[in-house]
Amino acid sequence: MNTPFVSLVGAGPGDPDLLTVRALKRIEAADVVLADDLIDPRVLALVRGRLLRVGKRGGCISTDQHFIHALMIKEARAGHRVVRLKGGDPFVFGRGGEEVDALREAGIEVEVVSGLTSGIAGPAAVGIPVTDRRASPGVILVTGHPGEGRTEPDWAALARTGLTLVIYMGVARAAHITAQLLAAGLRADLPAAIVSAAHTAQQRHAVTTLADLPACIAREGLKSPSLLVVGEVAAMAAIEGLSVGVQQSA
Ligand code: SAH
């Protein structure tokens, strides 16, 4: 029998055209695919083996994560080709590291197939470059929802860098995050954008100012999954074909 093996595969942000060639090969060859919630239905349609939906929308309960580990280990030990399919990139806010640890501890070989992370491909879908030498020499990818009992990002320190902030899982806490960034001295009229369900059929976005960000999210009814982009680059969003108008900074 082959050595038990699991591929941790990044599915990218949505559109299957954005899968890597390696991701597509792994998905098609898998006997069993354990897929997260956020995977686009068009990507799931590529699965030929058994498809197990193991997502846990919004939840962070560790038993669920342990259940996923146990299931991967069981399937791999049974000699099945196992793909653990995750939205975006498995190592960007995807608990990929935890899953690799659990598999290695169980003596199971694991490979990581990188995917396009939504925090870069999402803004790009609406014309926002996360770095631009005329506007921002770097980008910080950060979670707005560190999870129960985990340390909140030091928003003041992040604000001081002057780099683009791309905030994952930030919609529900946008008011809090915005307040922290403003208190740290970021300009009220600094451009900010929300990109929702990027590269899916439901893609929408809005461009506004930092001070208006929470109100804009409410006004436009934008929901998770969304990225918040804070920084001058947000103003570079393409205007043509927008579902939501561009609000000029004051
Ligand atoms: N590993 C994923 C991130 C998982 S965390 C990646 O690399 O993209 C889940 C968060 O990612 C969501 O709350 C949202 O902030 C973001 N996200 C994932 N897919 C998205 C999409 N298609 N459009 C916008 N945001 C997305």
Side-chain angles (χ1 to χ4, degrees):
M1 204 172 87
N2 296 336
T3 319
F5 183 78
V6 172
S7 295
L8 215 61
V9 176
D15 191 330
D17 280 3
L18 297 180
L19 286 170
T20 65
V21 174
R22 186 175 297 173
L24 180 61
K25 284 182 186 164
R26 296 297 187 271
I27 291 168
E28 288 182 342
D31 298 311
V32 54
V33 174
L34 284 75
D36 272 348
D37 277 330
L38 278 179
I39 312 292
D40 195 286
R42 294 167 295 174
V43 173
L44 296 179
L46 299 168
V47 173
R48 297 170 179 170
R50 263 181 304 137
L51 174 62
L52 305 177
R53 309 291 302 270
V54 294
K56 45 188 177 325
R57 208 163 265 294
C60 305
I61 303 162
S62 57
T63 47
D64 283 350
Q65 191 61 37
H66 288 135
F67 172 75
I68 294 168
H69 296 168
L71 192 57
M72 284 192 290
I73 292 165
K74 185 183 112 195
E75 292 287 348
R77 285 189 178 148
H80 299 143
R81 274 171 301 193
V82 181
V83 162
R84 172 73 174 110
L85 192 58
K86 296 181 155 287
D89 184 281
F91 276 180
V92 181
F93 307 121
R95 301 181 192 207
E98 292 167 44
E99 298 189 1
V100 166
D101 285 350
L103 291 164
R104 282 188 184 145
E105 274 167 31
I108 290 167
E109 275 187 34
V110 46
E111 73 166 347
V112 177
V113 180
S114 301
L116 281 188
T117 190
S118 60
I120 295 175
V126 302
I128 299 173
V130 292
T131 74
D132 183 297
R133 64 181 187 166
R134 299 162 300 176
S136 173
V139 57
I140 291 170
L141 305 182
V142 61
T143 175
H145 178 87
E148 202 76 13
R150 310 218 183 248
T151 323
E152 166 97 9
D154 183 344
W155 296 107
L158 299 185
R160 279 194 297 275
T161 64
L163 303 179
T164 306
L165 301 180
V166 173
I167 304 162
Y168 293 63
M169 296 170 273
V171 172
R173 298 184 74 235
H176 167 75
I177 295 166
T178 299
Q180 299 278 314
L181 295 175
L182 290 171
L186 287 189
R187 281 163 31 226
D189 68 352
L190 187 66
I194 309 108
V195 186
S196 202
H199 294 288
T200 77
Q202 289 77 41
Q203 177 177 310
R204 289 179 63 202
H205 78 287
V207 180
T208 183
T209 60
L210 177 58
D212 183 55
L213 189 62
C216 178
I217 290 170
R219 207 166 53 233
E220 304 297 344
L222 296 172
K223 304 217 155 49
S224 179
S226 293
L227 283 321
L228 311 180
V229 183
V230 176
E232 299 293 348
V233 293
M236 297 180 187
I239 293 168
E240 207 156 306
L242 284 194
S243 55
V244 180
V246 172
Q247 187 173 320
Q248 294 296 333
S249 45

